[in-house]
Amino acid sequence: MLEVFLILTVIYIAYIVYSDVDDDKQVNTPAKVETESTKPVLVVPPKAKTSKSPAVKPDTSRTKPAKSAKAKVNKTAAPKIELRTVEMKNPKTGEQAKVANNYRMVKRWIKEALVEEGLLEKIYKTNEMDDTAKAKVAEALSIIKAMDKYKV
């Protein structure tokens, strides 16, 4: 009985401390709101439509390097492979399984089928998955998803 009383006392003290801290936050919040509302607001007038003027050109020098850097990244990245969830059927047992793009979550029979079909040279372990292995696996999964043998 004493233990229950002590537990309830600790909970009550924690509630009082929490409500006191919460009250302090509410007291400080309106002051912050007032200071934010008194800040000057910059109003930009709307641009008037004018005829085509070659004198005013936007500065595109900043955007060109970003595009070229993005293009370089896309060239070095692996080719895009269709990665969607498909339901496949095991031709041996008739079991149906949803196959997503994550190799770790693929069922064992699908991994074995990838090796049997010659799409992969072995079943990869989690620690063996690097960028090249991920690209090979993604390509193999997209090919096996399209095979009529495994379609539902």
Side-chain angles (χ1 to χ4, degrees):
M1 184 67 181
L2 181 64
E3 296 167 351
V4 173
F5 179 74
L6 288 174
I7 291 172
L8 290 175
T9 306
V10 169
I11 292 173
Y12 180 71
I13 291 171
Y15 170 74
I16 291 174
V17 170
Y18 176 77
S19 63
D20 188 31
V21 170
D22 194 30
D23 289 340
D24 289 341
K25 287 182 183 178
Q26 289 178 356
V27 170
N28 292 335
T29 304
K32 289 182 181 179
V33 172
E34 291 174 340
T35 58
E36 289 176 5
S37 64
T38 59
K39 289 183 180 178
V41 178
L42 177 62
V43 178
V44 179
K47 293 182 180 179
K49 291 189 176 182
T50 60
S51 63
K52 295 179 182 177
S53 62
V56 179
K57 292 183 180 179
D59 184 20
T60 59
S61 63
R62 292 185 209 155
T63 58
K64 287 182 182 178
K67 288 182 182 177
S68 63
K70 188 175 182 180
K72 288 179 185 176
V73 171
N74 287 341
K75 288 180 183 176
T76 59
K80 287 201 172 193
I81 301 168
E82 182 180 340
L83 300 174
R84 58 186 171 94
T85 303
V86 175
E87 194 161 325
M88 293 177 57
K89 179 181 173 185
N90 187 351
K92 296 177 185 173
T93 62
E95 177 188 0
Q96 294 181 355
K98 288 187 178 180
V99 181
N101 58 355
N102 190 351
Y103 184 72
R104 290 179 56 192
M105 298 301 173
V106 173
K107 293 212 173 218
R108 183 73 181 182
W109 67 265
I110 297 172
K111 293 177 182 178
E112 291 170 355
L114 288 169
V115 175
E116 287 174 11
E117 295 292 334
L119 300 172
L120 292 177
E121 58 272 356
K122 65 176 187 171
I123 297 175
Y124 290 98
K125 295 180 182 176
T126 305
N127 59 354
E128 296 173 338
M129 295 296 289
D130 57 353
D131 291 334
T132 57
K134 286 180 184 178
K136 288 179 187 177
V137 167
E139 184 178 351
L141 281 173
S142 65
I143 292 171
I144 201 166
K145 287 176 187 178
M147 289 184 174
D148 291 334
K149 181 179 178 182
Y150 297 101
K151 287 188 178 178
V152 176

